Amino acid sequence: MNLLPLVAAALVLVAIGGKRRPSSGPLEQRACPPSGTRVLFIGDSNGVGLAGAFYEGVALPRPLLKLAQACGAPMTIDVLGGQGATYFAPRIETLLDTAEPTLLLVNLGANDYTRNDPEHVAASILKIVTAAKSRNVQVIWISPPKFGPPLEVDKIGALGMWRATGVTEFQTPILPDRSDRIHYTDAGYRELAALIWAFVSSEAR
């Protein structure tokens, strides 16, 4: 499934009881974040592959959301293909105030590399992180896959720009189940979601 031409956003709030419980079935995971964890997840087309509801009218598996559900962790999702920090920065305060998360997961970066306004991108990243931290919300940044886009076309050094804010980073690995140079298949997103959630479970406070 190629998610590159995504043009629709998904905003979803899933509220489940506060107690952690073990999962069962194909999305089994070994750990959960602390009880009371509430997640706000924002992202681009890779975020859609991880937790988006639909792609071109077809329901998606949403593996990251299912792992959160299995842990009883409410997750609010706002994802839109083709977007980056400059799109989400003006929205972040409203999203935070509506969702009231304890943890912000940010899956952005790949769509900023062709821009020509590094100051705007850096300020947008800072706004996202600052808005979360001012509300005592932990931030974990999920980097784009390393296999794309090519570093030579990263005109403004956008990839990794978030590190200047001191956020915790999950570095997305290169997995075999890819649909193109920067997206995964359903199986790939399933594997990636399990890795992300294991990291979240170990890092969330």
Side-chain angles (χ1 to χ4, degrees), residues 43-45 80-88 107-112 115:
D44 50 28
S45 55
L80 181 61
Q83 299 298 333
T86 58
Y87 170 81
F88 283 96
N107 188 195
L108 298 173
N111 293 308
D112 291 323
R115 298 179 64 97

Side-chain angles (χ1 to χ4, degrees), residues 22-23 35 52 60-61 70 74 81 108 127 133 148 153 156 161 166-167 172 186:
S23 66
S35 295
L60 297 176
L108 298 173
K127 181 174 181 177
K133 289 185 175 181
V153 299
I156 62 172
M161 195 178 281
V167 297
T172 298
D186 287 348

Side-chain angles (χ1 to χ4, degrees), residues 39-56:
V39 182
L40 171 60
F41 177 63
I42 63 175
D44 50 28
S45 55
N46 277 308
V48 175
L50 288 165
F54 295 96
Y55 171 67
E56 295 185 340

Side-chain angles (χ1 to χ4, degrees), residues 79-95:
V79 289
L80 181 61
Q83 299 298 333
T86 58
Y87 170 81
F88 283 96
R91 302 165 55 83
I92 191 62
E93 292 187 351
T94 299
L95 289 169

Side-chain angles (χ1 to χ4, degrees), residues 14-150:
V14 179
I16 305 171
K19 291 186 178 180
R20 286 182 285 171
R21 59 182 184 274
S23 66
S24 60
L27 279 170
E28 181 180 0
Q29 83 278 330
R30 298 181 179 178
C32 288
S35 295
T37 298
R38 301 181 303 278
V39 182
L40 171 60
F41 177 63
I42 63 175
D44 50 28
S45 55
N46 277 308
V48 175
L50 288 165
F54 295 96
Y55 171 67
E56 295 185 340
V58 178
L60 297 176
R62 316 184 81 182
L64 189 62
L65 172 61
K66 289 178 180 177
L67 289 169
Q69 289 176 324
C71 286
M75 178 178 283
T76 301
I77 301 162
D78 191 4
V79 289
L80 181 61
Q83 299 298 333
T86 58
Y87 170 81
F88 283 96
R91 302 165 55 83
I92 191 62
E93 292 187 351
T94 299
L95 289 169
L96 288 166
D97 291 341
T98 300
E100 297 184 340
T102 61
L103 173 64
L104 172 63
L105 295 182
V106 183
N107 188 195
L108 298 173
N111 293 308
D112 291 323
Y113 70 98
T114 58
R115 298 179 64 97
N116 57 9
D117 52 352
E119 295 84 4
H120 188 195
V121 174
S124 297
I125 291 171
L126 182 61
K127 181 174 181 177
I128 291 170
V129 174
T130 300
K133 289 185 175 181
S134 68
R135 292 163 173 79
N136 199 31
V137 176
Q138 183 183 4
V139 182
I140 295 178
W141 201 288
I142 302 167
S143 70
K146 292 182 179 179
F147 55 80

